[in-house]
Amino acid sequence: MHAKSLLHHLIDAAADCDPEPIAVVSGSIRATYGELQTATARFGAGLVGLGLARGERVAIYLDKRIEFVVAAFGTSAAGGVFVPVNPILKAEQVGHILRDCKVRVLVTTAERLAALGDGLAACHDLRQVVLIGAPATRPTLQGATVHLWDELMAAPPAAGHRAIDSDMAAILYTSGSTGRPKGVVLSHRNMMAGARSVAHYLGNHAGDTLLAALPLSFDAGLSQLTTAFQAGARVVLLNWLLARDVLKA
């Protein structure tokens, strides 16, 4: 395997070059490249500690926030495959995606988990749920164990499974405008080549700020992250309702 050929290596390379610049901004929260590198490694170790096998799927059902970024790139560090789920999808649509690609771990919030209701019972491959935040009571789920984000991030260091650049990195689902959403498989090589290509033709550099306004479940939205990290730039996560919110940001 060629050095720095996997998705999470985008963050590693930028952090190894200079850990101090801001990598991600989400509201009042800021994370430097060094902090993001540490967080993704911790999340990856947490997944390994949960027993995630090489190539198993980790679904991320969240709005745009730092934890989304950590979970996506941390899954890469663990040797897993991340599945970003559009946060506006309804319970039945989310259930279809979780079943279709045999998701093993679901990362979400207690509120979103509750909204998914009984549909998760049919997701027979789901074994672990990781919840952002600190719910008043820990939910229970038949067939799966519920963990809190902070618990996972406190796991002891562990190396991820060995992966090569032709391995799966992510599965992105289509909008489902002509039937049910279909999973599109992206390898590490696909995503790294895309990041290099876009950063090159846009002339991105470390002094840039990129606004991530598109859903991270879409390839163009996810590309805003990978392109920024390829360039060592800063990416600002924006959850918006109206067009003027984007202009204001």
Side-chain angles (χ1 to χ4, degrees):
M1 180 187 68
H2 188 270
K4 303 300 182 189
S5 62
L6 306 179
L7 185 65
H8 61 285
H9 291 157
L10 288 172
I11 294 172
D12 290 345
D16 291 347
C17 179
D18 187 352
E20 295 303 320
I22 299 296
V24 182
V25 177
S26 178
S28 61
I29 301 172
R30 283 161 168 69
T32 66
Y33 272 99
E35 290 167 339
L36 192 59
Q37 181 184 40
T38 298
T40 55
R42 283 181 176 166
F43 186 85
L47 289 178
V48 172
L50 292 184
L52 186 80
R54 179 185 182 210
E56 287 189 329
R57 303 355 167 202
V58 177
I60 309 169
Y61 184 43
L62 295 168
D63 58 0
K64 292 194 205 79
R65 53 195 299 164
I66 296 271
E67 291 90 347
F68 184 107
V69 181
V70 171
F73 288 81
T75 298
S76 170
V81 177
F82 75 92
V83 184
V85 181
N86 193 326
I88 68 170
L89 292 183
K90 301 296 186 286
E92 193 279 329
Q93 297 168 302
V94 176
H96 163 69
I97 290 173
L98 301 187
R99 293 188 301 273
D100 186 62
C101 67
K102 298 179 171 58
V103 162
R104 244 342 158 202
V105 180
L106 171 64
V107 182
T108 190
T109 63
E111 295 78 17
R112 288 182 179 276
L113 182 67
L116 292 178
D118 298 333
L120 288 179
C123 299
H124 303 300
D125 295 282
L126 185 63
R127 293 289 179 271
Q128 318 284 349
V129 175
V130 180
L131 295 183
I132 310 294
T137 57
R138 189 183 303 240
T140 56
L141 200 63
Q142 186 176 353
T145 307
V146 177
H147 310 267
L148 301 185
W149 176 269
D150 290 346
E151 295 169 351
L152 195 78
M153 296 298 281
H161 300 290
R162 182 181 180 277
I164 58 174
D165 62 0
S166 59
D167 285 342
M168 274 191 291
I171 302 175
L172 273 57
Y173 275 78
T174 61
S175 58
S177 53
T178 55
R180 286 197 155 184
K182 299 169 186 66
V184 178
V185 173
L186 295 174
S187 69
H188 290 274
R189 188 185 301 163
N190 291 151
M191 300 192 77
M192 295 290 274
R196 286 192 294 268
S197 173
V198 176
H200 175 73
Y201 75 68
L202 290 180
N204 290 125
H205 56 80
D208 282 342
T209 298
L210 280 68
L211 184 65
L214 295 171
L216 299 178
S217 54
F218 292 169
D219 57 351
L222 198 56
S223 175
Q224 292 169 313
L225 292 181
T226 58
T227 301
F229 297 158
Q230 166 69 29
R234 178 175 69 160
V235 62
V236 177
L237 305 177
L238 179 67
N239 296 295
W240 56 278
L241 289 175
L242 304 170
R244 66 167 175 262
D245 297 336
V246 178
L247 296 176
K248 188 176 171 185

